[in-house]
């Protein structure tokens, strides 16, 4: 009489049972799929860091798009000293509303806070957009500090120093002009934008010890720099 149950597995050199072959096949497929992103990342790193050559020029664009949003290192990856101030950018726009030829001037609108909230509202979004106003804030503070120091120069030397400073910051203010043009176009899509202006301000943060005080302390706002009116750059937002 035969015993009930599964026959013992053969220890010979015959083929493995079907379930084991299926598991082995799935394991190989999963391993191959897991290695695909590793291989792509390795190739992108090699292309991104390779010496300049015609081959690199052809593939660098794709490598940059793959690496920079998620893997590009910057100071935000580390633990900088916690800030004690909030930098603010206010934008004022001169425009012609739809159906009118009269130029109107808007009230200053703070635009930096909404940009700073973008990565916190959607953490998976690898945006570097907050870095733009951060760079503009830094440039505005350096520019304002230099202008303040001109008071220590002889009267006859101040104009030349101002002209040299303006030349030094030409590229920064061109980028600010393009950035504000884009922001104005998105905020007033039906209007004809004429010119834009930025005002950089600084507001101290509420100390942690007073964060839950009632009433909450009113922190003063300090004006850092007000730019001149800059012509709207058409098409920059397209």
């Amino acid at each position: 009489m035969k015993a009930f149950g599964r026959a013992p597995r053969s220890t010979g050199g015959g083929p493995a049972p079907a379930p084991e072959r299926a598991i082995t096949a799935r394991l190989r497929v999963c391993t191959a799929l897991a290695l695909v992103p590793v291989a792509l990342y390795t190739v992108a790193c090699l292309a991104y860091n390779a010496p300049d050559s015609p081959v690199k020029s052809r593939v660098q664009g794709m490598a940059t798009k793959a690496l920079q949003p998620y893997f590009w290192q910057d100071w935000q990856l580390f633990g900088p000293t916690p800030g004690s101030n909030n930098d603010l950018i206010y934008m004022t726009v001169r425009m012609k509303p739809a159906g009118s030829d009269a130029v109107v001037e808007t009230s200053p609108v703070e635009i930096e806070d909404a940009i700073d909230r973008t990565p916190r509202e959607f953490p998976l979004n690898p945006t570097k957009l907050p870095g733009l106003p951060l760079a503009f804030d830094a440039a505005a503070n350096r520019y304002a500090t230099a202008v303040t120091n001109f008071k220590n120069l002889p009267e006859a030397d101040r104009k030349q120093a101002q002209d040299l400073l303006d030349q030094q910051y030409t590229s920064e203010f061109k980028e600010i002009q393009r950035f504000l043009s884009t922001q104005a176009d998105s905020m007033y899509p039906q209007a004809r934008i004429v010119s834009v202006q930025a005002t950089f301000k600084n507001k101290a943060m509420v100390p942690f010890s007073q964060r839950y005080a009632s009433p909450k302390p009113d922190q003063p706002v300090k004006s850092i720099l007000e730019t001149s009116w800059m012509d709207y750059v058409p098409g920059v937002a397209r």
Side-chain angles (χ1 to χ4, degrees):
M1 182 175 179
K2 293 183 179 180
F4 291 100
R6 189 175 57 182
R9 186 167 50 186
S10 173
T11 57
E20 288 191 10
R21 291 199 300 270
I23 293 175
T24 302
R26 287 196 296 267
L27 182 60
R28 289 174 179 172
V29 171
C30 292
T31 302
L33 292 176
L35 291 176
V36 168
V38 176
L40 294 176
Y41 175 75
T42 302
V43 172
C45 286
L46 292 174
Y48 188 83
N49 295 290
D52 292 335
S53 66
V55 176
K56 180 178 179 178
S57 299
R58 289 194 294 268
V59 300
Q60 187 174 18
M62 293 183 292
T64 300
K65 290 180 180 179
L67 290 178
Q68 285 191 357
Y70 294 97
F71 302 105
W72 196 18
Q73 292 188 1
D74 56 31
W75 69 269
Q76 298 178 73
L77 289 177
F78 306 100
T81 303
S84 58
N85 296 282
N86 282 322
D87 292 313
L88 308 170
I89 301 178
Y90 288 83
M91 180 180 68
T92 309
V93 179
R94 286 177 177 169
M95 63 183 183
K96 295 180 180 180
S100 174
D101 286 331
V103 177
V104 299
E105 184 175 312
T106 67
S107 300
V109 179
E110 207 290 309
I111 60 176
E112 183 168 357
D113 183 62
I115 296 174
D116 289 340
R117 290 199 311 266
T118 302
R120 296 196 295 270
E121 293 173 350
F122 184 30
L124 297 179
N125 181 24
T127 179
K128 293 289 182 179
L129 188 59
L132 292 177
L134 181 69
F136 295 152
D137 289 325
N141 277 276
R142 291 195 302 269
Y143 184 94
T145 300
V147 171
T148 301
N149 292 335
F150 289 164
K151 297 178 181 179
N152 300 323
L153 296 176
E155 184 73 26
D157 296 336
R158 293 179 185 177
K159 185 180 184 306
Q160 182 182 8
Q162 182 69 59
D163 292 341
L164 291 174
L165 182 67
D166 290 342
Q167 292 177 15
Q168 179 183 350
Y169 281 84
T170 296
S171 59
E172 281 85 352
F173 282 103
K174 282 185 177 179
E175 288 302 317
I176 292 174
Q177 180 183 11
R178 293 170 60 85
F179 173 75
L180 293 178
S181 297
T182 303
Q183 294 296 311
D185 185 86
S186 63
M187 293 181 66
Y188 309 104
Q190 304 302 322
R192 288 171 291 172
I193 312 297
V194 176
S195 55
V196 291
Q197 182 187 52
T199 302
F200 296 86
K201 297 185 179 183
N202 185 286
K203 182 178 181 180
M205 295 181 182
V206 177
F208 184 79
S209 59
Q210 304 175 31
R211 189 162 299 176
Y212 302 103
S214 182
K216 184 174 293 187
D218 186 21
Q219 301 295 342
V221 178
K222 177 184 177 183
S223 183
I224 303 297
L225 177 70
E226 183 179 273
T227 69
S228 59
W229 284 97
M230 298 173 284
D231 292 337
Y232 168 73
V233 181
V236 70
R238 301 292 183 261

